[in-house]
Every structure is written in C-alpha cells, then in structure tokens.
Amino acid sequence: FLLLSSAAFDLLENIMLRTLVPRIGARAILAHQAAACMRPAITTLASRAMCTRYTEHHDWVKFDGQSATVGITKHAASELGDIVFVELPERGTEVSAGDAVGTVESVKACSDVECPLDGAVTETNEAIKDDYTVFQSDPEGSAWMYKVGPSDSVSSADIEAQFKQLLDGGQYQQLLDEINGDQ
C-alpha cells in the first residue's frame, strides 16, 4: 500500500475523476462519492468526515466536521440552464433547515435556495457573482454558494446529525432515476 497525505489523496482523486468522468458517467461518480465517505484510516478525521450528501431539492452538501458547504447539483444547474443572477444569504444569518436563504435566477426560471441544515451562515462565495458560468462548468465544486456552521443554539454535532439524514449518492441517483423515468 502507498500511504498518501490527505492533500495528495484529494489531488489524485480529482485527477482521476476529471479523466474518467467522460468515460464512466455520472452514476459511477455518485457511487465513487459514496465510497469516499469510507476512506481508509490513513486520512485525517476531517477529510474522512467530508463526503457529499444531497437534498430532494437538488442541493449538494459537504460536511468537514465543523461546517457544511452548500451548492446546487449538476442536475439543478442543467435544468436551470444559463444562470443570470444569484442572491446569497448574509454572513452571520441564523438559518433553519427549510429556510429560503437565497435565489438562483436563470433564463428559464427563478428558484429559491433552501437551507438544508440548521446553524449560521459563516461564509458566502461572492466569486460566483462575477462568473455565473461556473454553475455549468463546476456546479459541485467551485460553484459552492455558502457555508453553514455552528451558532449559539446549534453545535457542529447537531449539523453532523442533520447532514447524515440527507440523501447519500445512491439515494440521490435513485431520485434522479425516478425523475427521468429510469426506475
């Protein structure tokens, strides 16, 4: 076995995904993301804790042990088409799961962004307002929208418990299959 640092593992994983995605398709990528939650013990606790979960509203969520990063899925970005405006929540805003915290407008539709977790907004990705094309090129990466962390009434353990209740990669793929009629 070759032991890699967490950063080296992530870099190698990223290179493999960018090379293989066109060949193996989205279904295999979702399976890979589910498997990433079970990385071997050689990685740090924080990197093992970070995996992707999904909501029925087509948001993705990554939890790093302290806070959660939230964005819209590739499916949502594809359905919306060209994004023309994004409203992000204000930093410091206390949020509850289900709250409308922002808006994504496209040439096709306007959609509220619902927060999937309780906590406080700790950071927003203002860079996406300068280049909406990132939603089409990297919706589940650089197009992240905001981060939710602990608040006065919500601990990181509370956030993690809610995170674990979200859909894993396989469950989200089943949802997509039902939407597309591929049961």
Side-chain angles (χ1 to χ4, degrees):
F1 287 98
L2 176 65
L3 295 179
L4 299 173
S5 71
S6 181
F9 185 87
D10 289 342
L11 178 64
L12 181 60
E13 180 179 48
N14 217 352
I15 291 168
M16 288 173 50
L17 286 175
R18 290 184 188 275
T19 305
L20 296 175
V21 168
R23 294 185 184 122
I24 62 177
R27 192 170 288 185
I29 297 306
L30 288 171
H32 168 77
Q33 289 174 339
C37 294
M38 299 179 237
R39 286 185 181 172
I42 59 171
T43 58
T44 65
L45 178 60
S47 67
R48 274 199 332 261
M50 184 178 289
C51 62
T52 305
R53 296 283 182 143
Y54 302 89
T55 71
E56 292 178 357
H57 302 286
H58 306 288
D59 299 308
W60 59 264
V61 182
K62 291 182 182 180
F63 181 69
D64 67 7
Q66 285 295 316
S67 65
T69 304
V70 182
I72 63 171
T73 64
K74 182 178 182 177
H75 172 80
S78 175
E79 290 294 307
L80 285 167
D82 293 334
I83 307 289
V84 296
F85 176 77
V86 174
E87 177 186 37
L88 298 172
E90 288 189 36
R91 190 174 180 182
T93 303
E94 298 255 344
V95 293
S96 296
D99 285 354
V101 295
T103 306
V104 176
E105 293 182 23
S106 73
V107 294
K108 293 182 181 179
C110 180
S111 180
D112 284 336
V113 176
E114 289 186 17
C115 189
L117 308 164
D118 298 337
V121 176
T122 59
E123 191 175 343
T124 58
N125 185 0
E126 297 295 325
I128 59 176
K129 291 181 175 182
D130 296 330
D131 181 15
Y132 296 130
T133 62
V134 73
F135 283 99
Q136 297 304 320
S137 63
D138 192 19
E140 296 186 28
S142 347
W144 66 273
M145 297 178 71
Y146 61 97
K147 295 184 180 187
V148 176
S151 66
D152 292 338
S153 59
V154 179
S155 70
S156 58
D158 296 330
I159 295 171
E160 181 175 18
Q162 287 182 314
F163 173 77
K164 289 179 178 179
Q165 298 301 310
L166 299 175
L167 303 174
D168 65 26
Q171 293 167 321
Y172 184 66
Q173 183 60 52
Q174 284 179 330
L175 175 67
L176 294 177
D177 288 347
E178 288 172 14
I179 290 169
N180 296 325
D182 298 338
Q183 303 168 359

